[in-house]
Amino acid sequence: MTNHSAAVPKIGVFDSGVGGLSVLKAIRREHPIVDFIYIADSGNAPYGSRPAAFIESRAHQIAERLVDAGAQVIVVACNTATAVAVARLRSHLPVPIIAMEPAIKPAVAQTKTGVVGVLATERTIESANVARLCRKFGQGVNVLLQPCPGLVEFVERGELSSARTREYLRMLVIPLMDKGTDTLVLGCTHYVFLESEIRDIAGPAVQIIESSAAVARQTLRHIGSKDIASAPYPGRGTFLTTGSPDSARVIFSQLWGAQVEVGALENSNVWAENRLN
Ligand code: DGL
């Protein structure tokens, strides 16, 4: 086990909060025995309404912590942090940085009505990155950009299907449907946990696209070893938060789908490690 664990790749994953767990789950679906450290900056979430300089600085500090902890690859499991910080991370850190952006390109390729809806945070919607994606891939298609202030907070609270959540989602999604949207992009990793509610509102004919599987495949291209993937090793994961570990334990376990321990980022002596099946 010891020799084996030395050969297991270690990835670092971070997000403003719990949304990036959707990406980490996708990575582990592709590569169940990868070791990871996940940092949720829940003490500073949401990023989407913060100034770009703040997000950039947080992303840099957190990514540095992951590198110091031995991560061989960093996954920025946050569209908002990618939009404002990816260039700095790539130029300052010594490991590959895998980042995410709203799946506008595949959505444009799939739409039949010529109307694509994008749900994302304010900061992502107004970013140069999204403007570039619309310019490059959105020609001839109506790309409706819908900022969703406050939606991340519902997920951070674990409020995935309450009446309030549904009511807010209806307010965001129905106007997009009324304009003929047949393809909906979830441009924030938190929203993946709301997908079934969004599907109920948007209806069965609408394509819902998000980037976690694509990011997982890209991560594998950096760490991938099919030999390791077939070995009987369960993988180890450390979950850390800058918020309250007690609240985090509840919401992480809910979203992960199993009971997990969550440590405080600042208290690096008590980083709890989970053995995962
Ligand atoms: N999960 C982050 C994203 O993908 C949410 C950002 C926020 O905290 O507003 O954009």
Side-chain angles (χ1 to χ4, degrees):
M1 183 67 82
T2 312
N3 287 345
H4 193 158
S5 74
V8 171
K10 190 180 209 175
I11 59 170
V13 182
F14 76 92
D15 179 34
S16 64
V18 293
L21 292 175
S22 59
V23 180
L24 185 53
K25 286 172 88 166
I27 293 170
R28 291 196 80 249
R29 271 196 294 275
E30 296 275 340
H31 197 312
I33 51 88
V34 72
D35 285 350
F36 64 82
I37 303 172
Y38 180 94
I39 298 179
D41 197 10
S42 295
N44 294 295
Y47 280 177
S49 49
R50 300 253 195 197
F54 176 87
I55 301 168
E56 198 183 35
S57 152
R58 289 300 305 163
H60 193 177
Q61 285 171 43
I62 290 172
E64 270 185 331
R65 295 292 297 268
L66 290 169
V67 172
D68 290 348
Q72 292 145 298
V73 174
I74 305 287
V75 180
V76 185
C78 177
N79 292 264
T80 311
T82 297
V84 300
V86 72
R88 174 161 160 189
L89 298 182
R90 289 201 167 123
S91 66
H92 284 78
L93 296 174
V95 299
I97 306 290
I98 295 167
M100 43 204 319
E101 58 188 18
I104 291 173
K105 181 182 175 187
V108 166
Q110 283 187 31
T111 179
K112 303 268 188 298
T113 60
V115 186
V116 165
V118 180
L119 302 172
T121 69
E122 304 99 292
R123 192 63 64 240
T124 299
I125 293 286
E126 68 189 25
S127 67
N129 197 29
V130 162
R132 180 187 55 81
L133 291 171
C134 291
R135 253 194 332 271
K136 192 162 171 199
F137 304 112
Q139 301 297 331
V141 168
N142 191 7
V143 181
L144 304 170
L145 300 175
Q146 175 61 63
C148 310
L151 195 53
V152 160
E153 289 91 315
F154 280 99
V155 180
E156 286 291 305
R157 290 193 296 269
E159 207 182 319
L160 305 183
S161 56
S162 72
R164 281 197 318 164
T165 310
R166 272 198 300 277
E167 190 186 331
Y168 187 40
L169 284 173
R170 266 199 297 273
M171 218 180 80
L172 297 166
V173 172
I174 288 173
L176 299 176
M177 297 302 118
D178 289 347
K179 291 185 180 117
T181 297
D182 69 347
T183 310
L184 207 46
V185 176
L186 306 186
C188 169
T189 52
H190 281 75
Y191 304 168
V192 175
F193 291 112
L194 299 168
E195 184 169 342
S196 69
E197 293 300 322
I198 294 171
R199 152 86 44 227
D200 280 353
I201 296 165
V206 167
Q207 298 286 331
I208 298 181
I209 306 187
E210 49 90 11
S211 313
S212 62
V215 169
R217 286 191 298 273
Q218 209 189 332
T219 308
L220 285 209
R221 282 198 287 278
H222 283 276
I223 60 167
S225 160
K226 294 298 168 196
D227 301 344
I228 291 171
S230 61
Y233 177 76
R236 294 172 304 187
T238 298
F239 296 102
L240 298 167
T241 181
T242 58
S244 145
D246 287 339
S247 331
R249 190 174 306 119
V250 177
I251 175 70
F252 270 63
S253 299
Q254 178 191 348
L255 300 179
W256 191 252
Q259 196 63 35
V260 293
E261 281 307 314
V262 182
L265 177 65
E266 293 322 320
N267 195 354
S268 54
N269 293 331
V270 292
W271 283 11
E273 192 174 81
N274 293 276
R275 291 221 154 243
L276 304 160
N277 298 313

